[in-house]
Amino acid sequence: MTEPQAPPKTLAWNGVSVQVPRDWAAAEFQACALRLEGRDGQELDLRWRRSREPFDPEAHWARLAAALGPGATLDRAPDTLPPGWAAASSPQGPGSVRLPFAWRGKEGGGLGALMHHPDTGLTANARFILPTGGPLPEKDAAAATALAVLESLGDHPPEGLVPWAAFGVTALVPGGLELRAFSFTPGHFRLTLAAPRTGCDLVLDRLGPTDALLGNRTLAQYADAFYGTLGAPAGFFAESPAPEADASPDAQPRPEPDMVQGAGRQGAPLLRRLLRRPWAGVRRGRMWRAGIGAVLLGAFMRGRREADMDAFEAICRDYALDRP
């Protein structure tokens, strides 16, 4: 009896999302590119950009051929594509373009598609590396998987809420907060976003394991130290209000809270005031135990006005561990 196939997982990164098999792992992330690898040797190289310039497919074909290296070939003839891939050229909306192709180069060979959405300015190139060995049914299955991944590609322009799903967390943030930096080290993922127009910035963190990080410190003490580098003063993070005191000898100590938070305004340094330079002095922060408590999630936001913090509660509400 064939085991049921696990549902795909969603990766969302800087304005695009894609659903891939659960055993596919992220091999590389860039600001507007990602590479995913499957256990069967299948890979996806996805690159994108947003521009209001006229779409020139020939220029994109030329850049793709150059990236594949000397001797590489691109075949756009529908009759040379596997079943279903010729239909992948069907537009996804008024004026949209999707041009499927087969390719072969120094990395091997596979399938792909060049896509453009004029309403959002998104141009994307999805290139799949398919296994070269194995019987024909396995090759057909790999092509079908690639087509399903291609069909799942989502476009999330900055005019609305933009989803993020990577490195074990999911988030939903206003599109005005643009990617500034990201980092991943063992036990710590950080995503830094900023709004150029308002001077507001947001940092999202995933940390663990909790016990090793906290040591003998409380969650509030750890959050103060951790976000002190971003301007959180000592005592900024407060623990949950204590319940009514129990003075009996058998009273149990209050358990450590699962969430701490802080809010306040920090005055601008003297030099900035003298030069009348903008200062993001309004601060909001939160850190909480997620899942069974082995992971900490943190959010820290800075802005020039109290109104810049309006989205903070919703951001924290939607920031969570990515469950299988």
Side-chain angles (χ1 to χ4, degrees):
M1 180 177 179
T2 303
E3 294 184 2
Q5 189 173 8
K9 64 181 178 181
T10 299
L11 287 172
W13 188 258
N14 204 17
V16 302
S17 64
V18 67
Q19 294 184 355
V20 299
R22 300 208 71 84
D23 63 352
W24 285 27
E28 180 182 0
F29 279 84
Q30 299 179 27
C32 291
L34 57 86
R35 185 167 60 87
L36 306 173
E37 296 178 346
R39 294 179 181 176
D40 59 357
Q42 196 166 354
E43 296 183 22
L44 166 62
D45 183 271
L46 178 62
R47 300 174 184 272
W48 65 94
R49 62 191 290 262
R50 292 190 189 275
S51 174
R52 293 300 178 181
E53 299 176 358
F55 176 60
D56 183 355
E58 294 305 322
H60 286 280
W61 291 128
R63 284 194 288 269
L64 177 58
L68 291 175
T73 60
L74 284 172
D75 195 340
R76 292 174 272 170
D79 57 355
T80 65
L81 299 174
W85 274 84
S89 61
S90 301
Q92 300 300 294
S96 295
V97 176
R98 190 160 68 177
L99 306 173
F101 61 88
W103 67 275
R104 181 161 293 280
K106 58 183 179 181
E107 296 178 274
L111 301 165
L114 176 64
M115 295 154 285
H116 177 66
H117 296 173
D119 291 341
T120 65
L122 176 72
T123 299
N125 174 20
R127 184 169 60 89
F128 295 88
I129 300 175
L130 302 184
T132 55
L136 185 60
E138 292 184 8
K139 295 180 181 179
D140 289 344
T145 297
L147 181 58
V149 172
L150 177 67
E151 295 284 1
S152 74
L153 183 69
D155 180 8
H156 309 282
E159 289 75 20
L161 294 175
V162 175
W164 295 79
F167 297 101
V169 291
T170 63
L172 192 64
V173 301
L177 289 166
E178 302 174 358
L179 178 64
R180 282 292 176 267
F182 64 93
S183 62
F184 179 75
T185 56
H188 184 200
F189 167 63
R190 167 167 284 186
L191 184 67
T192 303
L193 306 161
R197 294 182 179 179
T198 65
C200 180
D201 60 42
L202 169 71
V203 169
L204 298 175
D205 291 288
R206 178 179 67 78
L207 301 144
T210 301
D211 290 343
L213 293 172
L214 296 184
N216 294 324
R217 293 176 292 185
T218 67
L219 182 58
Q221 290 170 339
Y222 178 78
D224 274 349
F226 184 77
Y227 285 119
T229 58
L230 297 181
F236 181 81
F237 286 89
E239 299 180 2
S240 302
E244 293 184 7
D246 184 354
S248 66
D250 298 328
Q252 297 297 316
R254 180 171 61 90
E256 173 69 13
D258 288 331
M259 185 267 288
V260 295
Q261 59 186 339
R265 178 185 292 271
Q266 184 178 4
L270 177 60
L271 182 58
R272 278 189 172 268
R273 295 200 303 269
L274 292 175
L275 297 176
R276 296 186 177 182
R277 291 181 177 175
W279 172 249
V282 182
R283 314 287 166 88
R284 290 285 304 272
R286 186 173 298 175
M287 184 171 281
W288 64 99
R289 290 179 171 86
I292 59 174
V295 175
L296 294 177
L297 296 182
F300 195 83
M301 198 171 189
R302 302 179 295 190
R304 301 171 189 170
R305 307 165 302 156
E306 291 291 343
D308 294 335
M309 303 292 109
D310 287 349
F312 185 77
E313 288 295 331
I315 291 170
C316 290
R317 180 195 65 215
D318 294 322
Y319 185 40
L321 294 181
D322 187 9
R323 293 301 184 188

